[in-house]
Short mmCIF file of all heavy atoms in Angstrom, two decimals:
data_model
loop_
_atom_site.label_atom_id
_atom_site.label_comp_id
_atom_site.label_asym_id
_atom_site.label_seq_id
_atom_site.Cartn_x
_atom_site.Cartn_y
_atom_site.Cartn_z
N ASP A 96 -2.34 -35.54 -0.08
CA ASP A 96 -3.50 -35.57 -0.96
C ASP A 96 -4.83 -35.61 -0.21
O ASP A 96 -5.80 -36.00 -0.77
CB ASP A 96 -3.47 -36.76 -1.87
CG ASP A 96 -3.37 -38.08 -1.17
OD1 ASP A 96 -3.48 -38.03 0.13
OD2 ASP A 96 -3.15 -39.24 -1.66
N ALA A 97 -4.80 -35.12 0.94
CA ALA A 97 -6.05 -35.05 1.79
C ALA A 97 -6.10 -33.65 2.46
O ALA A 97 -5.28 -32.91 2.21
CB ALA A 97 -6.06 -36.19 2.88
N GLY A 98 -7.18 -33.43 3.33
CA GLY A 98 -7.34 -32.14 3.92
C GLY A 98 -8.12 -31.34 3.06
O GLY A 98 -8.72 -31.50 2.15
N PRO A 99 -8.21 -29.97 3.56
CA PRO A 99 -8.98 -28.99 2.88
C PRO A 99 -8.52 -28.63 1.48
O PRO A 99 -7.35 -28.79 1.15
CB PRO A 99 -8.74 -27.73 3.71
CG PRO A 99 -7.51 -27.93 4.40
CD PRO A 99 -7.44 -29.36 4.74
N SER A 100 -9.45 -28.43 0.62
CA SER A 100 -9.09 -28.17 -0.85
C SER A 100 -8.89 -26.64 -1.09
O SER A 100 -9.44 -25.83 -0.30
CB SER A 100 -10.32 -28.64 -1.81
OG SER A 100 -11.53 -27.89 -1.44
N GLY A 101 -8.17 -26.38 -2.10
CA GLY A 101 -8.02 -25.01 -2.44
C GLY A 101 -6.89 -24.33 -1.61
O GLY A 101 -6.38 -24.93 -0.62
N GLY A 102 -6.46 -23.09 -2.02
CA GLY A 102 -5.39 -22.46 -1.25
C GLY A 102 -5.77 -22.10 0.10
O GLY A 102 -6.84 -21.47 0.30
N GLN A 103 -4.92 -22.52 1.08
CA GLN A 103 -5.28 -22.18 2.55
C GLN A 103 -4.32 -21.18 3.01
O GLN A 103 -3.11 -21.20 2.58
CB GLN A 103 -5.35 -23.46 3.31
CG GLN A 103 -6.25 -24.47 2.91
CD GLN A 103 -7.66 -24.02 3.17
OE1 GLN A 103 -8.03 -23.82 4.39
NE2 GLN A 103 -8.52 -24.13 2.15
N TRP A 104 -4.75 -20.21 3.85
CA TRP A 104 -3.83 -19.33 4.49
C TRP A 104 -3.45 -19.83 5.92
O TRP A 104 -4.16 -20.24 6.65
CB TRP A 104 -4.40 -17.89 4.63
CG TRP A 104 -4.45 -17.08 3.42
CD1 TRP A 104 -5.39 -17.03 2.52
CD2 TRP A 104 -3.37 -16.22 2.98
NE1 TRP A 104 -4.99 -16.12 1.54
CE2 TRP A 104 -3.76 -15.66 1.77
CE3 TRP A 104 -2.11 -15.95 3.49
CZ2 TRP A 104 -2.95 -14.85 1.06
CZ3 TRP A 104 -1.31 -15.12 2.79
CH2 TRP A 104 -1.73 -14.64 1.64
N TYR A 105 -2.03 -19.61 6.23
CA TYR A 105 -1.48 -20.12 7.43
C TYR A 105 -0.62 -19.00 8.11
O TYR A 105 -0.02 -18.25 7.36
CB TYR A 105 -0.61 -21.40 7.22
CG TYR A 105 -1.35 -22.53 6.70
CD1 TYR A 105 -1.28 -22.84 5.19
CD2 TYR A 105 -1.99 -23.42 7.40
CE1 TYR A 105 -2.05 -23.86 4.79
CE2 TYR A 105 -2.63 -24.44 6.88
CZ TYR A 105 -2.59 -24.71 5.51
OH TYR A 105 -3.35 -25.85 4.94
N GLU A 106 -0.63 -19.01 9.35
CA GLU A 106 0.23 -18.14 10.09
C GLU A 106 1.23 -19.21 10.78
O GLU A 106 0.80 -20.04 11.57
CB GLU A 106 -0.55 -17.34 11.24
CG GLU A 106 0.33 -16.46 12.06
CD GLU A 106 -0.43 -15.83 13.03
OE1 GLU A 106 -0.90 -16.44 14.07
OE2 GLU A 106 -0.79 -14.61 13.04
N ALA A 107 2.46 -19.01 10.67
CA ALA A 107 3.42 -19.87 11.16
C ALA A 107 4.26 -19.11 12.38
O ALA A 107 4.64 -18.07 12.15
CB ALA A 107 4.40 -20.37 10.27
N ARG A 108 4.43 -19.82 13.46
CA ARG A 108 5.28 -19.33 14.52
C ARG A 108 6.48 -20.27 14.71
O ARG A 108 6.17 -21.47 14.96
CB ARG A 108 4.36 -19.26 15.83
CG ARG A 108 3.27 -18.23 15.70
CD ARG A 108 2.37 -18.36 16.92
NE ARG A 108 3.12 -17.92 18.18
CZ ARG A 108 3.29 -16.66 18.46
NH1 ARG A 108 2.73 -15.72 17.77
NH2 ARG A 108 3.85 -16.29 19.60
N VAL A 109 7.69 -19.67 14.45
CA VAL A 109 8.82 -20.56 14.23
C VAL A 109 9.77 -20.24 15.45
O VAL A 109 10.22 -19.03 15.59
CB VAL A 109 9.50 -20.41 12.96
CG1 VAL A 109 10.62 -21.41 12.72
CG2 VAL A 109 8.38 -20.68 11.74
N TYR A 110 10.23 -21.15 16.16
CA TYR A 110 11.12 -20.92 17.26
C TYR A 110 12.18 -22.00 17.47
O TYR A 110 11.94 -23.20 17.28
CB TYR A 110 10.33 -20.84 18.60
CG TYR A 110 11.07 -20.18 19.71
CD1 TYR A 110 11.04 -18.68 19.79
CD2 TYR A 110 11.67 -20.87 20.71
CE1 TYR A 110 11.85 -18.03 20.75
CE2 TYR A 110 12.33 -20.23 21.72
CZ TYR A 110 12.48 -18.78 21.73
OH TYR A 110 13.23 -18.28 22.72
N PRO A 111 13.53 -21.70 17.74
CA PRO A 111 14.47 -22.79 17.76
C PRO A 111 14.27 -23.66 18.94
O PRO A 111 13.81 -23.36 19.99
CB PRO A 111 15.83 -21.88 17.97
CG PRO A 111 15.42 -20.58 18.46
CD PRO A 111 13.93 -20.36 17.84
N VAL A 112 14.59 -24.92 18.69
CA VAL A 112 14.56 -25.96 19.70
C VAL A 112 15.94 -25.97 20.54
O VAL A 112 17.06 -26.10 19.90
CB VAL A 112 14.25 -27.40 19.08
CG1 VAL A 112 14.31 -28.44 20.18
CG2 VAL A 112 12.91 -27.27 18.40
N ASP A 113 15.84 -25.93 21.82
CA ASP A 113 16.94 -25.95 22.71
C ASP A 113 17.37 -27.50 23.01
O ASP A 113 17.16 -27.91 24.09
CB ASP A 113 16.70 -25.20 23.90
CG ASP A 113 17.94 -25.03 24.82
OD1 ASP A 113 19.06 -25.35 24.35
OD2 ASP A 113 17.85 -24.76 26.00
N SER A 114 17.77 -28.16 22.02
CA SER A 114 18.09 -29.58 22.12
C SER A 114 18.91 -30.04 20.93
O SER A 114 18.93 -29.49 19.87
CB SER A 114 16.84 -30.43 22.29
OG SER A 114 17.13 -31.73 22.17
N ASP A 115 19.81 -30.94 21.27
CA ASP A 115 20.72 -31.56 20.17
C ASP A 115 20.29 -32.89 19.82
O ASP A 115 21.04 -33.69 19.27
CB ASP A 115 22.16 -31.47 20.65
CG ASP A 115 22.35 -32.17 22.00
OD1 ASP A 115 21.51 -32.91 22.47
OD2 ASP A 115 23.52 -32.24 22.33
N SER A 116 19.02 -33.33 20.33
CA SER A 116 18.61 -34.67 20.05
C SER A 116 18.23 -35.04 18.56
O SER A 116 18.05 -36.17 18.19
CB SER A 116 17.37 -34.96 20.89
OG SER A 116 16.29 -34.08 20.63
N TYR A 117 18.22 -33.92 17.81
CA TYR A 117 17.89 -34.19 16.38
C TYR A 117 19.02 -34.30 15.44
O TYR A 117 18.83 -34.46 14.18
CB TYR A 117 16.92 -33.02 15.79
CG TYR A 117 15.54 -33.11 16.51
CD1 TYR A 117 15.23 -32.20 17.67
CD2 TYR A 117 14.60 -34.08 16.22
CE1 TYR A 117 14.05 -32.26 18.20
CE2 TYR A 117 13.33 -34.07 16.91
CZ TYR A 117 13.09 -33.26 17.84
OH TYR A 117 11.83 -33.18 18.67
N GLY A 118 20.23 -34.22 16.04
CA GLY A 118 21.44 -34.30 15.14
C GLY A 118 21.75 -33.07 14.31
O GLY A 118 22.81 -33.02 13.76
N GLN A 119 20.98 -32.01 14.43
CA GLN A 119 21.29 -30.67 13.89
C GLN A 119 20.37 -29.65 14.52
O GLN A 119 19.44 -29.96 15.11
CB GLN A 119 20.95 -30.77 12.26
CG GLN A 119 19.47 -31.09 12.05
CD GLN A 119 19.22 -30.86 10.47
OE1 GLN A 119 19.42 -29.82 10.02
NE2 GLN A 119 18.82 -32.01 9.90
N PRO A 120 20.80 -28.38 14.39
CA PRO A 120 19.96 -27.42 14.94
C PRO A 120 18.54 -27.43 14.26
O PRO A 120 18.43 -27.77 13.12
CB PRO A 120 20.64 -26.05 14.53
CG PRO A 120 22.06 -26.47 14.36
CD PRO A 120 21.99 -27.85 13.86
N ALA A 121 17.46 -27.16 15.03
CA ALA A 121 16.12 -27.48 14.65
C ALA A 121 15.16 -26.34 15.13
O ALA A 121 15.62 -25.58 16.13
CB ALA A 121 15.64 -28.79 14.95
N VAL A 122 14.03 -26.30 14.60
CA VAL A 122 13.03 -25.32 15.18
C VAL A 122 11.65 -26.13 15.27
O VAL A 122 11.54 -27.07 14.65
CB VAL A 122 12.78 -24.16 14.24
CG1 VAL A 122 14.02 -23.35 14.05
CG2 VAL A 122 12.37 -24.69 12.84
N ILE A 123 10.91 -25.52 16.03
CA ILE A 123 9.36 -25.99 16.01
C ILE A 123 8.76 -24.95 15.09
O ILE A 123 8.97 -23.78 15.22
CB ILE A 123 8.67 -26.06 17.33
CG1 ILE A 123 8.86 -24.63 18.10
CG2 ILE A 123 9.34 -27.14 18.37
CD1 ILE A 123 8.02 -24.56 19.35
N TRP A 124 7.77 -25.44 14.22
CA TRP A 124 7.03 -24.67 13.33
C TRP A 124 5.56 -24.96 13.56
O TRP A 124 5.08 -25.96 13.15
CB TRP A 124 7.55 -25.24 11.70
CG TRP A 124 6.71 -24.42 10.76
CD1 TRP A 124 5.54 -24.42 10.38
CD2 TRP A 124 7.45 -23.60 9.68
NE1 TRP A 124 5.29 -23.58 9.27
CE2 TRP A 124 6.44 -23.11 8.85
CE3 TRP A 124 8.75 -23.20 9.47
CZ2 TRP A 124 6.64 -22.28 7.81
CZ3 TRP A 124 8.96 -22.32 8.45
CH2 TRP A 124 7.99 -21.99 7.50
N LEU A 125 5.00 -24.02 14.21
CA LEU A 125 3.56 -24.22 14.63
C LEU A 125 2.76 -23.54 13.50
O LEU A 125 2.83 -22.23 13.28
CB LEU A 125 3.21 -23.47 15.94
CG LEU A 125 1.69 -23.31 16.20
CD1 LEU A 125 1.04 -24.68 16.36
CD2 LEU A 125 1.54 -22.51 17.50
N ALA A 126 1.97 -24.27 12.71
CA ALA A 126 1.15 -23.74 11.58
C ALA A 126 -0.29 -23.64 12.04
O ALA A 126 -0.89 -24.82 12.41
CB ALA A 126 1.34 -24.74 10.38
N ILE A 127 -0.82 -22.62 11.94
CA ILE A 127 -2.24 -22.22 12.26
C ILE A 127 -3.01 -21.81 10.96
O ILE A 127 -2.62 -20.89 10.37
CB ILE A 127 -2.44 -21.17 13.33
CG1 ILE A 127 -1.54 -21.49 14.56
CG2 ILE A 127 -3.89 -20.91 13.75
CD1 ILE A 127 -1.45 -20.44 15.62
N ASN A 128 -4.12 -22.54 10.71
CA ASN A 128 -4.87 -22.17 9.44
C ASN A 128 -5.68 -20.94 9.81
O ASN A 128 -6.55 -20.96 10.76
CB ASN A 128 -5.81 -23.31 9.20
CG ASN A 128 -6.42 -23.19 7.74
OD1 ASN A 128 -6.98 -22.12 7.55
ND2 ASN A 128 -6.49 -24.33 6.99
N ILE A 129 -5.52 -19.95 9.04
CA ILE A 129 -6.21 -18.49 9.29
C ILE A 129 -7.08 -18.20 8.08
O ILE A 129 -7.34 -16.97 7.91
CB ILE A 129 -5.13 -17.45 9.65
CG1 ILE A 129 -4.08 -17.25 8.51
CG2 ILE A 129 -4.47 -17.82 10.88
CD1 ILE A 129 -3.28 -16.08 8.50
N THR A 130 -7.34 -19.16 7.30
CA THR A 130 -8.16 -18.87 6.12
C THR A 130 -9.50 -18.18 6.29
O THR A 130 -9.82 -17.26 5.64
CB THR A 130 -8.31 -20.18 5.27
OG1 THR A 130 -7.14 -20.84 4.98
CG2 THR A 130 -9.11 -19.92 4.02
N ALA A 131 -10.15 -18.61 7.39
CA ALA A 131 -11.55 -17.92 7.76
C ALA A 131 -11.25 -16.63 8.19
O ALA A 131 -12.04 -15.62 7.82
CB ALA A 131 -12.19 -18.63 8.88
N ARG A 132 -10.20 -16.23 8.80
CA ARG A 132 -9.82 -14.83 9.40
C ARG A 132 -9.56 -14.03 8.06
O ARG A 132 -9.87 -12.91 7.97
CB ARG A 132 -8.66 -14.87 10.18
CG ARG A 132 -8.53 -13.56 11.00
CD ARG A 132 -7.20 -13.47 11.61
NE ARG A 132 -6.03 -13.29 10.88
CZ ARG A 132 -4.78 -13.43 11.26
NH1 ARG A 132 -4.46 -13.87 12.44
NH2 ARG A 132 -3.79 -13.05 10.47
N LYS A 133 -8.69 -14.56 7.14
CA LYS A 133 -8.32 -13.86 5.98
C LYS A 133 -9.55 -13.54 5.14
O LYS A 133 -9.59 -12.38 4.59
CB LYS A 133 -7.32 -14.73 5.06
CG LYS A 133 -5.82 -14.63 5.57
CD LYS A 133 -5.35 -13.22 5.19
CE LYS A 133 -3.85 -13.02 5.44
NZ LYS A 133 -3.25 -11.91 5.05
N TYR A 134 -10.37 -14.50 5.11
CA TYR A 134 -11.69 -14.27 4.19
C TYR A 134 -12.38 -13.10 4.75
O TYR A 134 -12.97 -12.24 4.13
CB TYR A 134 -12.52 -15.49 4.05
CG TYR A 134 -13.88 -15.32 3.49
CD1 TYR A 134 -13.90 -15.22 2.03
CD2 TYR A 134 -15.02 -15.19 4.10
CE1 TYR A 134 -15.14 -14.97 1.32
CE2 TYR A 134 -16.25 -15.05 3.48
CZ TYR A 134 -16.21 -14.96 2.14
OH TYR A 134 -17.49 -14.83 1.47
N MET A 135 -12.54 -13.08 6.10
CA MET A 135 -13.32 -12.04 6.92
C MET A 135 -12.54 -10.68 6.68
O MET A 135 -13.28 -9.63 6.45
CB MET A 135 -13.40 -12.38 8.31
CG MET A 135 -14.18 -11.41 9.07
SD MET A 135 -14.46 -11.85 10.76
CE MET A 135 -15.29 -13.49 10.63
N GLU A 136 -11.28 -10.71 6.67
CA GLU A 136 -10.55 -9.32 6.55
C GLU A 136 -10.75 -8.89 5.17
O GLU A 136 -10.99 -7.66 4.90
CB GLU A 136 -9.01 -9.65 6.76
CG GLU A 136 -8.71 -9.86 8.28
CD GLU A 136 -7.27 -10.23 8.31
OE1 GLU A 136 -6.49 -10.48 7.44
OE2 GLU A 136 -6.87 -10.37 9.59
N GLU A 137 -10.73 -9.89 4.06
CA GLU A 137 -10.95 -9.38 2.75
C GLU A 137 -12.50 -8.83 2.63
O GLU A 137 -12.68 -7.80 1.85
CB GLU A 137 -10.74 -10.58 1.86
CG GLU A 137 -9.29 -11.01 1.74
CD GLU A 137 -9.10 -12.26 0.95
OE1 GLU A 137 -10.05 -12.83 0.41
OE2 GLU A 137 -8.02 -12.71 0.78
N GLN A 138 -13.36 -9.47 3.16
CA GLN A 138 -14.77 -8.98 3.18
C GLN A 138 -14.96 -7.52 3.82
O GLN A 138 -15.55 -6.72 3.16
CB GLN A 138 -15.70 -9.92 3.91
CG GLN A 138 -15.87 -11.25 3.21
CD GLN A 138 -16.49 -11.14 1.80
OE1 GLN A 138 -15.97 -11.25 0.78
NE2 GLN A 138 -17.98 -10.99 1.79
N ILE A 139 -14.23 -7.42 4.98
CA ILE A 139 -14.33 -6.08 5.62
C ILE A 139 -13.54 -5.05 4.67
O ILE A 139 -14.17 -3.96 4.59
CB ILE A 139 -13.67 -6.16 6.90
CG1 ILE A 139 -14.50 -7.00 7.92
CG2 ILE A 139 -13.48 -4.79 7.65
CD1 ILE A 139 -13.86 -7.31 9.28
N GLU A 140 -12.52 -5.36 4.14
CA GLU A 140 -11.85 -4.41 3.15
C GLU A 140 -12.69 -4.09 2.01
O GLU A 140 -12.74 -2.96 1.55
CB GLU A 140 -10.44 -4.93 2.90
CG GLU A 140 -9.59 -4.20 1.98
CD GLU A 140 -8.27 -4.67 1.50
OE1 GLU A 140 -7.90 -5.82 2.06
OE2 GLU A 140 -7.60 -4.02 0.78
N HIS A 141 -13.39 -5.09 1.51
CA HIS A 141 -14.17 -5.03 0.37
C HIS A 141 -15.38 -3.91 0.69
O HIS A 141 -15.65 -3.05 -0.08
CB HIS A 141 -14.67 -6.17 -0.16
CG HIS A 141 -15.54 -6.15 -1.47
ND1 HIS A 141 -14.99 -6.01 -2.66
CD2 HIS A 141 -16.92 -6.26 -1.66
CE1 HIS A 141 -16.00 -5.87 -3.54
NE2 HIS A 141 -17.17 -6.03 -3.03
N LEU A 142 -15.95 -4.21 1.83
CA LEU A 142 -16.97 -3.32 2.18
C LEU A 142 -16.65 -1.90 2.55
O LEU A 142 -17.50 -1.08 2.34
CB LEU A 142 -17.78 -3.96 3.43
CG LEU A 142 -18.54 -5.35 3.31
CD1 LEU A 142 -19.01 -5.86 4.53
CD2 LEU A 142 -19.66 -5.03 2.37
N SER A 143 -15.42 -1.79 2.87
CA SER A 143 -15.03 -0.42 3.12
C SER A 143 -14.66 0.42 1.96
O SER A 143 -14.66 1.59 1.93
CB SER A 143 -13.68 -0.50 4.00
OG SER A 143 -12.54 -0.90 3.13
N SER A 144 -14.65 -0.31 0.79
CA SER A 144 -14.31 0.39 -0.49
C SER A 144 -15.42 0.21 -1.55
O SER A 144 -15.53 1.03 -2.54
CB SER A 144 -13.10 -0.08 -1.16
OG SER A 144 -13.22 -1.47 -1.38
N ASN A 145 -16.44 -0.62 -1.30
CA ASN A 145 -17.36 -0.89 -2.31
C ASN A 145 -18.83 -0.72 -1.85
O ASN A 145 -19.05 -1.05 -0.67
CB ASN A 145 -17.28 -2.34 -2.87
CG ASN A 145 -16.06 -2.46 -3.74
OD1 ASN A 145 -14.91 -2.55 -3.20
ND2 ASN A 145 -16.18 -2.68 -5.09
N ASP A 146 -19.68 -0.17 -2.67
CA ASP A 146 -21.02 -0.11 -2.44
C ASP A 146 -21.72 -1.49 -2.41
O ASP A 146 -21.58 -2.36 -3.22
CB ASP A 146 -21.78 0.68 -3.62
CG ASP A 146 -23.25 0.73 -3.31
OD1 ASP A 146 -23.82 1.02 -2.36
OD2 ASP A 146 -23.93 0.29 -4.40
N PRO A 147 -22.34 -1.88 -1.25
CA PRO A 147 -22.84 -3.25 -1.14
C PRO A 147 -23.88 -3.73 -1.97
O PRO A 147 -23.99 -4.99 -2.32
CB PRO A 147 -23.34 -3.31 0.35
CG PRO A 147 -23.64 -1.91 0.64
CD PRO A 147 -22.71 -1.12 -0.09
N LEU A 148 -24.68 -2.79 -2.73
CA LEU A 148 -25.66 -3.07 -3.57
C LEU A 148 -25.12 -3.40 -5.05
O LEU A 148 -25.27 -4.45 -5.58
CB LEU A 148 -26.91 -2.10 -3.67
CG LEU A 148 -27.89 -2.28 -4.60
CD1 LEU A 148 -28.68 -3.49 -4.38
CD2 LEU A 148 -28.93 -1.18 -4.67
N THR A 149 -24.37 -2.37 -5.55
CA THR A 149 -23.89 -2.47 -6.89
C THR A 149 -22.52 -3.00 -7.03
O THR A 149 -22.19 -3.38 -8.19
CB THR A 149 -23.95 -1.02 -7.54
OG1 THR A 149 -22.94 -0.29 -6.78
CG2 THR A 149 -25.36 -0.40 -7.36
N ASN A 150 -21.75 -3.06 -5.94
CA ASN A 150 -20.38 -3.51 -5.99
C ASN A 150 -19.43 -2.54 -6.74
O ASN A 150 -18.29 -2.79 -6.88
CB ASN A 150 -20.15 -4.87 -6.52
CG ASN A 150 -18.91 -5.56 -6.14
OD1 ASN A 150 -18.45 -5.39 -4.98
ND2 ASN A 150 -18.27 -6.36 -7.02
N LEU A 151 -19.97 -1.31 -7.03
CA LEU A 151 -19.14 -0.17 -7.44
C LEU A 151 -18.54 0.49 -6.30
O LEU A 151 -18.92 0.16 -5.23
CB LEU A 151 -19.98 0.76 -8.28
CG LEU A 151 -20.85 0.39 -9.39
CD1 LEU A 151 -21.80 1.44 -9.95
CD2 LEU A 151 -19.92 -0.19 -10.45
N TYR A 152 -17.51 1.25 -6.55
CA TYR A 152 -16.78 1.94 -5.46
C TYR A 152 -17.73 2.79 -4.76
O TYR A 152 -18.68 3.47 -5.32
CB TYR A 152 -15.71 2.88 -6.01
CG TYR A 152 -14.52 2.13 -6.59
CD1 TYR A 152 -13.67 2.63 -7.65
CD2 TYR A 152 -14.03 0.95 -5.96
CE1 TYR A 152 -12.62 1.84 -8.16
CE2 TYR A 152 -12.83 0.23 -6.37
CZ TYR A 152 -12.17 0.78 -7.52
OH TYR A 152 -11.21 0.01 -7.98
N ASN A 153 -17.57 2.91 -3.42
CA ASN A 153 -18.45 3.84 -2.67
C ASN A 153 -17.92 5.31 -2.81
O ASN A 153 -16.87 5.47 -3.37
CB ASN A 153 -18.60 3.46 -1.23
CG ASN A 153 -17.30 3.38 -0.47
OD1 ASN A 153 -16.45 4.23 -0.60
ND2 ASN A 153 -17.22 2.43 0.44
N ARG A 154 -18.66 6.29 -2.24
CA ARG A 154 -18.22 7.64 -2.57
C ARG A 154 -16.82 7.88 -1.95
O ARG A 154 -15.94 8.52 -2.76
CB ARG A 154 -19.25 8.60 -1.76
CG ARG A 154 -18.82 10.16 -1.99
CD ARG A 154 -19.77 10.95 -1.17
NE ARG A 154 -19.45 12.31 -1.37
CZ ARG A 154 -19.99 13.13 -2.26
NH1 ARG A 154 -20.90 12.66 -3.22
NH2 ARG A 154 -19.60 14.41 -2.43
N ASP A 155 -16.51 7.66 -0.75
CA ASP A 155 -15.17 7.90 -0.17
C ASP A 155 -14.07 7.22 -0.87
O ASP A 155 -13.07 7.86 -1.18
CB ASP A 155 -15.16 7.46 1.26
CG ASP A 155 -16.06 8.33 2.21
OD1 ASP A 155 -16.45 9.42 1.62
OD2 ASP A 155 -16.47 7.93 3.27
N PHE A 156 -14.27 5.97 -1.26
CA PHE A 156 -13.16 5.34 -1.95
C PHE A 156 -13.00 5.84 -3.41
O PHE A 156 -11.91 5.95 -3.85
CB PHE A 156 -13.31 3.73 -1.99
CG PHE A 156 -12.13 3.06 -2.27
CD1 PHE A 156 -11.23 2.77 -1.45
CD2 PHE A 156 -11.99 2.45 -3.72
CE1 PHE A 156 -10.08 1.94 -1.74
CE2 PHE A 156 -10.76 1.78 -4.04
CZ PHE A 156 -9.91 1.45 -3.06
N PHE A 157 -14.06 6.15 -4.02
CA PHE A 157 -13.98 6.73 -5.32
C PHE A 157 -13.22 7.98 -5.36
O PHE A 157 -12.41 8.23 -6.29
CB PHE A 157 -15.36 6.90 -5.98
CG PHE A 157 -15.42 7.49 -7.40
CD1 PHE A 157 -15.21 6.63 -8.42
CD2 PHE A 157 -15.50 8.87 -7.55
CE1 PHE A 157 -15.16 7.16 -9.75
CE2 PHE A 157 -15.46 9.47 -8.91
CZ PHE A 157 -15.36 8.62 -9.90
N LEU A 158 -13.51 8.79 -4.41
CA LEU A 158 -12.70 10.13 -4.27
C LEU A 158 -11.28 9.82 -4.17
O LEU A 158 -10.52 10.60 -4.74
CB LEU A 158 -13.29 10.95 -3.04
CG LEU A 158 -14.54 11.77 -3.37
CD1 LEU A 158 -15.08 12.39 -2.02
CD2 LEU A 158 -14.25 12.87 -4.28
N ASP A 159 -10.92 8.76 -3.38
CA ASP A 159 -9.45 8.51 -3.23
C ASP A 159 -8.88 8.11 -4.52
O ASP A 159 -7.79 8.50 -4.87
CB ASP A 159 -9.27 7.40 -2.18
CG ASP A 159 -9.48 7.90 -0.75
OD1 ASP A 159 -9.58 9.08 -0.50
OD2 ASP A 159 -9.88 7.17 0.17
#
Side-chain angles (χ1 to χ4, degrees):
D96 55 7
S100 61
Q103 301 290 302
W104 277 97
Y105 299 94
E106 178 183 77
R108 299 174 61 84
V109 185
Y110 197 81
V112 176
D113 187 16
S114 171
D115 57 4
S116 58
Y117 292 103
Q119 64 171 298
V122 300
I123 58 171
W124 181 295
L125 170 61
I127 303 172
N128 191 315
I129 58 169
T130 305
R132 190 190 83 192
K133 276 287 187 180
Y134 176 76
M135 186 177 298
E136 290 173 352
E137 289 172 0
Q138 291 295 102
I139 292 172
E140 183 178 354
H141 182 78
L142 289 172
S143 71
S144 61
N145 290 70
D146 171 55
L148 176 62
T149 64
N150 206 33
L151 301 175
Y152 290 146
N153 61 35
R154 180 186 180 89
D155 290 342
F156 194 80
F157 179 84
L158 275 172
D159 290 340

